[in-house]
Amino acid sequence: MMPQQQVVSVVIPVYGVERYLERCVRSVTEQDHDCLDIVLVDDGSPDACPQICDEWAARDSRIRVIHKENGGLASARNAGLDVIAGDMVTFVDSDDYVEPNYVSELLRWHEQSGADVTMCSCTHNLDDGSVIADAKSTPEGIMGREEAMVQFLYHLSLAGPVWGKMFDARFFKGERGIRFHEGLNSEDYYVLTQVFLRMNAIFVQMKPLYHYSIRQGSIAHMKSFNAHSCDEIRIADLCCDYLIEYGYHNRSAMDYFRLQGRADVLFNIFQSDANPEVYRRIARDMRRHLLPVLRDRRVPIPKKAKFLLLSFMPRRYRALQCMVGARS
């Protein structure tokens, strides 16, 4: 008797992506792994997406549709996690698409390695048709819990999105089931923190099986300073608070994670219309976390110098960035 194939749940949050949705869902339904539980979560989309979701469900029995009031990406993913039926789960954003062997490869790596989490690489697809390879240099092979947490907290690798990964579904089931933190962007970090703390290992193979779409006006590419511009700071603190609560011991790594979250926000708002007072406020906040990082032998000296400059002279750092950009 042939062994029964594992069921893989695919959670796809849907909002305002009428132009891209057909491509996304088709790429999932055409996977060479048949045993799929596809959950489309219509997050109150104001365009034709709800109808497109229902049409797909009518012609493919593996698809279920949830229609809900708009609550944001985290809320939509959580609604999908509430109903998943698979042994494994992966996330695909509805403006992205995946290779036909995306599911089968991630699942095969899981079965061969015994790792709770598997991860592939991606390409960055722009609206003008150009394609950029992923520049991240994530170590390939199997990585245990402690090394993965260090890689994640020091932003060496793994500090990225939940898409492009496959997870054992048990992480998201039961009373202690992991959920995204609603109301904040960068919510993927909060989920990955909890997964990495609980998993046995992650297996990484840098095959570009996921296609990430970079489109004008997407969450990650807003140029106007808004209520979510500083979310990464709040998420970094939530992650570290969670780790401390559950007894994680590497305080140096957590200090770095908090500081890097603040630096990342500064880098992002340099490109926005934020008031200079916001720079000063974040710089003051950075100084509260600076000393442990300066003492950390794991952090390279150029990185420490960058943190110093950002913490005390953020506007000078921005001016230097502009000068370098003008010359290049």
Side-chain angles (χ1 to χ4, degrees):
M1 179 182 292
M2 292 289 290
Q4 187 175 2
Q5 282 190 315
Q6 291 198 72
V7 177
V8 176
S9 291
V10 184
V11 176
I12 306 176
V14 177
Y15 183 86
V17 289
E18 179 180 340
R19 174 182 171 187
Y20 305 92
L21 185 56
E22 287 278 353
R23 180 185 66 180
C24 173
V25 179
R26 185 179 301 108
S27 76
V28 174
T29 59
E30 293 179 352
Q31 290 295 297
D32 57 14
H33 180 84
D34 292 328
C35 294
L36 299 176
D37 165 46
I38 304 168
V39 184
L40 300 179
V41 184
D42 161 35
D43 191 36
S45 189
D47 53 11
C49 285
Q51 179 183 346
I52 295 171
C53 290
D54 290 338
E55 289 172 351
W56 271 104
R59 61 180 183 261
D60 193 322
S61 61
R62 300 173 299 173
I63 296 177
R64 291 177 289 154
V65 180
I66 298 173
H67 295 288
K68 61 182 287 295
E69 292 184 2
N70 179 251
L73 179 59
S75 172
R77 285 174 171 167
N78 286 341
L81 287 173
D82 287 343
V83 302
I84 56 172
D87 306 294
M88 305 292 291
V89 61
T90 187
F91 300 91
V92 178
D93 285 355
S94 50
D95 50 353
D96 301 335
Y97 64 101
V98 291
E99 288 293 310
N101 59 338
Y102 169 76
V103 168
S104 63
E105 285 288 83
L106 288 170
L107 184 58
R108 180 172 66 86
W109 301 338
H110 159 71
E111 293 171 342
Q112 290 181 350
S113 69
D116 296 327
V117 185
T118 56
M119 171 182 166
C120 67
S121 183
C122 70
T123 62
H124 299 255
N125 297 67
L126 281 64
D127 272 347
D128 63 6
S130 57
V131 178
I132 303 171
D134 188 14
K136 295 186 182 72
S137 56
T138 305
E140 291 192 317
I142 197 161
M143 192 185 305
R145 179 192 300 118
E146 181 58 35
E147 177 57 26
M149 191 64 79
V150 167
Q151 289 279 326
F152 173 72
L153 291 174
Y154 279 102
H155 284 245
L156 299 170
S157 66
L158 304 182
V162 294
W163 49 253
K165 299 177 178 68
M166 184 176 287
F167 306 88
D168 191 316
R170 66 183 171 83
F171 291 127
F172 304 98
K173 295 180 178 180
E175 291 184 4
R176 294 184 65 236
I178 295 169
R179 289 296 183 271
F180 292 88
H181 194 287
E182 298 185 18
L184 297 175
N185 294 336
S186 300
E187 68 278 6
D188 292 25
Y189 285 0
Y190 190 62
V191 163
L192 292 177
T193 296
Q194 297 175 69
V195 168
F196 291 161
L197 189 64
R198 301 184 194 183
M199 72 179 186
N200 64 4
I202 181 173
F203 182 87
V204 179
Q205 188 69 258
M206 296 304 284
K207 281 188 177 181
L209 302 176
Y210 191 100
H211 298 279
Y212 169 58
S213 296
I214 300 176
R215 57 191 177 91
Q216 193 70 26
S218 65
I219 289 176
H221 301 94
M222 292 291 190
K223 296 301 183 184
S224 296
F225 184 81
N226 57 63
H228 291 289
S229 294
C230 297
D231 281 359
E232 191 170 340
I233 293 174
R234 297 176 63 191
I235 285 290
D237 289 342
L238 284 169
C239 291
C240 293
D241 291 346
Y242 177 89
L243 290 172
I244 291 169
E245 179 183 355
Y246 283 88
Y248 183 69
H249 63 281
N250 194 334
R251 292 300 181 104
S252 296
M254 288 185 282
D255 285 330
Y256 182 92
F257 193 75
R258 291 184 196 269
L259 190 62
Q260 184 66 62
R262 286 152 174 81
D264 286 345
V265 168
L266 270 182
F267 293 145
N268 289 333
I269 67 174
F270 282 158
Q271 312 302 320
S272 75
D273 56 3
N275 189 300
E277 176 55 32
V278 178
Y279 307 157
R280 291 189 285 271
R281 175 170 56 82
I282 296 174
R284 287 194 298 270
D285 191 26
M286 287 184 69
R287 294 198 289 272
R288 296 193 301 116
H289 303 279
L290 183 61
L291 188 57
V293 174
L294 295 180
R295 292 171 173 168
D296 190 343
R297 294 182 178 180
R298 182 181 284 271
V299 182
I301 291 176
K303 176 71 75 171
K304 293 177 180 179
K306 183 181 291 185
F307 284 147
L308 267 171
L309 192 56
L310 279 169
S311 298
F312 287 95
M313 294 181 288
R315 297 185 71 182
R316 178 68 59 84
Y317 184 91
R318 183 187 184 189
L320 288 172
Q321 273 194 323
C322 294
M323 288 174 59
V324 171
R327 291 172 182 172
S328 60

